[in-house]
Amino acid sequence: MIARITLSSVTLPLKQAISDAKVLTGRQRPMTEVAFLFAEVRTTDGLDGLGFGYSKRAGGRAQYAHAAEVAHELIGEDPNDIGRLWTKLAWAGASVGRSGAATQAIAAIDVALWDLKAKRAGLPLAKLLGAYRDSVRCYDTSGGFLHEPVERVLDNAEAARAAGIGGVKIKVGHPSPAVDLARVRAVRDRLGDDVPLMVDANQQWDRPVATRVGRALEEFDLTWIEEPLDADDVDGHAALARSLDTPIASGEMLTSVAEHVRLLDAVDVIQPDAPRIGGITQFQRLAALAEHHHLTLAPHFAMEIHVHLAAAYPHEPWVEHFDWLHPLFNERLDIRDGRIHLSGRPGLGVTLSEQARAWTVAHTVIQKGPE
């Protein structure tokens, strides 16, 4: 039975301020930190599960507060009944909805329950879910942001390849499409034609610009164009996918399975984020739908979670590599030959570092009786 749930709000400072197209268009400020919600679930027989979610810029405190308000519902419950417990938590906070911060708060606890279940079985999470492979293709994003001059982007791309990462994604959506095209051309020339290359506009184009720039990008044989349009513009994504040879990818900003369902017939690559849509329980529901639509799966961010979920997807997926989270965990993922290889460690295979504990800004222990 579940005896205790410990929730921690952790603020991860970034080494430098990060800017993508949303900053250049004036819609957001540069990002300087990421807020994480960690959930640690302990059972009466002394087993522990670890899960996490996150928020960029705003929302971290809301996630933490909501989790602290509903987590007591699980004390005394059987941690193996993960689907039922997800529903119980969702109903506990139903008045604030079934997407956004409410379900993102549940996600951290849900991931912890899956980590716990895999540890109880003595298996990596991917094996518990039913892995199709022991490694997953990966691509780097952290070196391709728009605040970086193109020379640094080129150096970062080469460093990523040298570190064993398979593909490279760079940000586009600059106010001048000519700048985007010049940066893409420079990266393609440096990497050669055989290296998978993706671009990400972060929803900053309208339909005419996305069409014009998308056609200009065709010559670079991109693996995909990501978020060319507003995440809710399903019809626009579908029209763009029909008009271009380059695959269209989207989904990371959606915060429920229901929101993704409308996108399944509009894109070629679906990019759900388990912490954003409510955890592994919801991700598995969406993955089944995506497989039915024969979509490529490329989960967003949180590679420590997503490598397991991608390994359990029937079609060959991608996982996004970010080095931002390295200080939070004691372990590192095994990256070589263009792929992330599963470790033999049970569960997610990661434990919280002392640095993560030091960055904790709020902490709650939920259990029966005194702490």
Side-chain angles (χ1 to χ4, degrees), residues 162-302:
I165 299 171
V168 171
K169 186 175 78 178
I170 69 168
K171 299 292 185 175
V172 293
H174 192 280
S176 169
V179 172
D180 284 335
L181 293 171
R183 287 166 70 92
V184 175
R185 186 180 302 280
V187 175
R188 175 53 85 200
D189 288 347
R190 178 70 65 89
L191 295 179
D193 294 335
D194 295 333
V195 174
L197 178 61
M198 305 84 164
V199 300
D200 182 359
N202 288 109
Q203 308 178 77
Q204 298 309 293
W205 290 333
D206 59 22
R207 292 187 185 186
V209 171
T211 302
R212 287 197 301 269
V213 179
R215 287 172 179 161
L217 289 169
E218 296 277 34
E219 67 170 292
F220 301 113
D221 191 25
L222 300 176
T223 302
W224 67 67
I225 299 172
E226 183 171 330
E227 287 197 319
L229 302 169
D230 187 277
D232 292 324
D233 187 1
V234 176
D235 291 341
H237 279 91
L240 197 61
R242 289 192 298 267
S243 67
L244 299 178
D245 291 333
T246 306
I248 300 300
S250 191
E252 69 178 64
M253 295 304 296
L254 304 182
T255 62
S256 69
V257 174
E259 291 175 32
H260 278 84
V261 167
R262 298 175 56 241
L263 198 63
L264 294 174
D265 289 317
V267 298
D268 306 290
V269 182
I270 195 75
Q271 299 181 297
D273 184 318
R276 282 184 175 169
I277 66 172
I280 293 170
T281 299
Q282 299 300 344
F283 190 100
Q284 291 293 90
R285 292 179 58 203
L286 178 57
L289 295 171
E291 191 269 333
H292 180 70
H293 284 74
H294 306 285
L295 297 181
T296 296
L297 178 73
H300 168 255
F301 204 60

Side-chain angles (χ1 to χ4, degrees), residues 107-126:
I109 301 171
D110 181 81
V111 172
L113 291 173
W114 280 103
D115 180 58
L116 173 64
K117 192 166 191 174
K119 287 175 178 174
R120 186 186 296 276
L123 295 170
L125 177 61

Side-chain angles (χ1 to χ4, degrees), residues 8-9 15 53 79 87 104 111 132 145 147 150 152 155 185 250 256 259 291 303 344 358:
S8 303
S9 178
K15 293 179 180 178
T87 301
Q104 289 166 12
V111 172
Y132 284 84
F145 280 81
H147 65 273
V150 67
R152 180 70 62 80
D155 290 343
R185 186 180 302 280
S250 191
S256 69
E259 291 175 32
E291 191 269 333
M303 63 183 180

